[in-house]
Amino acid sequence: MTIIAALAREPHSKFQFQQVSFAEPRPDEIIVEIRGVGICHTDIAARDGIYGLPYPIVLGHEGSGIVTAVGAEVATVAPGDHVVLSFNSCGRCTSCKSDNPAYCRDFAVENYIGTRPDGSRVLESEAGPVYSHFFGQSSFATHAVVNPRNVVAVDPDLDLAQLGPLGCGLQTGAGAVMRSMGCHAGSSLVVLGAGPVGLAAVMAACIQGCSSILVVEPHEARRTMATEMGATHTIDPTVDGDMAERIRGIVPDGADYVFDTTGRVDVINGAIAAVGCNAVLGLVGVPSDFSVDLPLNIVSTMQTGLTVKGIVEGDSDPSEFIPELIGHYRAGRFPFDKMLTRFPLSGINEAIAAQHRGDVIKAVLVPDVDLRLFV
């Protein structure tokens, strides 16, 4: 089967379209026609070499689409089903068997090596090998080969093109608040960064009944969106003044929870100075330098009872949490569609530039009928 995909050929380069062909799908694999795919910061980081993936590679890990074929061993979905694609997991390790696949023992092998876990490739081109299997999907393409563990069936009456971001960024932000940290009703939450993950956290904090939801974000449009999503206060960190003092001016006893999406040590330390007793700090922001450490004063950490929690995918089991988020969306409690802007898949490079400039919060790519003209 021949498809069209957006290929990353080298770090910091523009995506280029090319015809590639599938290897024969295995009995436990599924073919999905992509109808929409979100652009995540992780895709750009992968393109730029942070994860050490081979080139050329097809990225994209927030896909949604329609099942077109299933292998003989697949019993969870059937051709014609509408699905959201999420991260992959092994299904065999202790974490997976405990319904905690975000901490799969083989998470890196299942999601970050550019091939199937056994090293075999899914895609090929006339010029040679093409790497893929990013988060078990590589959905910057017209079709993706996936497996039952990273496919979640959804109702066909939903707008399928916009659902892909639920598979990573949105479940990460919402899950951090609702699951990883378990923010309780009446508590205070500080969200560092109002990108898609941070805004998902804001909506989740409203669902949880947090009384004070503070968002620290330099872009005015994102602060405005945060307020529309339910933030009770927004802080512009570029304005003169100590961030911790400004937070304590709103929550004098200190914040109960802090959720960082920036990966910046200076920002995180500023928020730590404003936490209350027995606070929880949740970390999902990935620094550009993987060797960066977060220094913590041992005595103050002990005295305040601070808990620091690293978070992957919001501690989510996608098969359960994505339908839960869709339920909140239907009820008007999780209006994530407000942050989305659609672009044709052929406009992937323009969409990335617009997202980088802050012109849009979350870009979603929709395959266009004239995509072959860009090959």
Side-chain angles (χ1 to χ4, degrees):
M1 178 178 177
T2 299
I3 68 168
I4 298 175
L7 273 63
R9 297 188 176 279
E10 60 184 4
H12 306 285
S13 62
K14 290 186 176 182
F15 287 92
Q16 299 177 19
F17 288 94
Q18 184 174 328
Q19 285 190 337
V20 296
S21 56
F22 279 150
E24 184 69 25
R26 294 177 174 177
D28 62 345
E29 291 181 329
I30 301 163
I31 298 178
V32 175
E33 179 185 340
I34 300 299
R35 292 297 179 89
V37 53
I39 297 176
C40 178
H41 175 71
T42 302
D43 293 309
I44 309 308
R47 178 200 66 182
D48 294 341
I50 286 181
Y51 296 101
L53 290 162
Y55 299 98
I57 187 167
V58 181
L59 300 170
H61 67 287
E62 292 185 342
S64 58
I66 298 176
V67 175
T68 60
V70 300
E73 297 176 4
V74 176
T76 52
V77 294
D81 284 352
H82 289 209
V83 296
V84 171
L85 309 180
S86 191
F87 62 89
N88 208 6
S89 56
C90 75
R92 301 178 300 274
C93 67
T94 300
S95 292
C96 286
K97 289 181 178 179
S98 302
D99 299 322
N100 203 7
Y103 300 97
C104 173
R105 177 195 60 203
D106 295 327
F107 192 94
V109 173
E110 294 284 345
N111 294 280
Y112 291 141
I113 64 172
T115 65
R116 295 184 178 100
D118 64 5
S120 62
R121 292 189 306 274
V122 177
L123 301 179
E124 197 82 18
S125 75
E126 292 181 356
V130 174
Y131 296 92
S132 62
H133 219 70
F134 190 55
F135 280 74
Q137 54 179 284
S138 288
S139 45
F140 285 165
T142 56
H143 296 75
V145 174
V146 298
N147 71 57
R149 288 193 59 79
N150 66 323
V151 172
V152 180
V154 297
D155 292 335
D157 66 311
L158 295 162
D159 185 351
L160 185 58
Q162 71 181 16
L163 299 182
L166 292 171
C168 185
L170 300 186
Q171 79 174 351
T172 296
V177 170
M178 300 171 72
R179 299 190 174 218
S180 310
M181 297 190 294
C183 299
H184 62 275
S187 64
S188 57
L189 168 68
V190 175
V191 178
L192 305 176
V197 176
L199 291 173
V202 169
M203 292 183 285
C206 293
I207 293 170
Q208 294 293 98
C210 295
S211 58
S212 297
I213 306 170
L214 292 66
V215 173
V216 180
E217 168 59 51
H219 291 282
E220 182 179 3
R222 294 189 174 191
R223 293 196 304 274
T224 299
M225 179 64 74
T227 299
E228 293 178 7
M229 296 292 193
T232 58
H233 304 80
T234 61
I235 295 172
D236 180 355
T238 66
V239 175
D240 291 339
D242 181 78
M243 184 174 72
E245 290 182 0
R246 294 170 72 185
I247 292 172
R248 286 190 178 274
I250 300 167
V251 283
D253 291 335
D256 298 311
Y257 301 94
V258 173
F259 178 54
D260 177 67
T261 70
T262 70
R264 290 181 48 176
V265 173
D266 58 333
V267 174
I268 297 168
N269 279 334
I272 288 175
V275 299
C277 291
N278 296 306
V280 178
L281 167 64
L283 303 175
V284 302
V286 179
S288 56
D289 180 357
F290 281 15
S291 68
V292 169
D293 293 324
L294 177 65
L296 288 174
N297 182 272
I298 295 174
V299 173
S300 64
T301 300
M302 292 167 57
Q303 289 177 336
T304 58
L306 176 67
T307 295
V308 179
K309 181 168 179 55
I311 299 171
V312 176
E313 296 287 349
D315 285 42
S316 302
D317 180 343
S319 65
E320 296 179 359
F321 196 47
I322 289 175
E324 181 179 337
L325 291 178
I326 289 174
H328 288 303
Y329 168 71
R330 287 188 183 277
R333 295 186 293 266
F334 197 73
F336 69 93
D337 54 326
K338 291 183 178 180
M339 72 173 83
L340 306 181
T341 302
R342 300 190 193 202
F343 291 81
L345 179 57
S346 61
I348 183 172
N349 294 308
E350 292 80 2
I352 291 169
Q355 196 161 285
H356 180 72
R357 291 192 302 267
D359 297 345
V360 302
I361 295 174
K362 183 72 170 182
V364 173
L365 305 171
V366 180
D368 34 328
V369 293
D370 295 324
L371 192 58
R372 61 178 55 89
L373 299 176
F374 296 86
V375 174

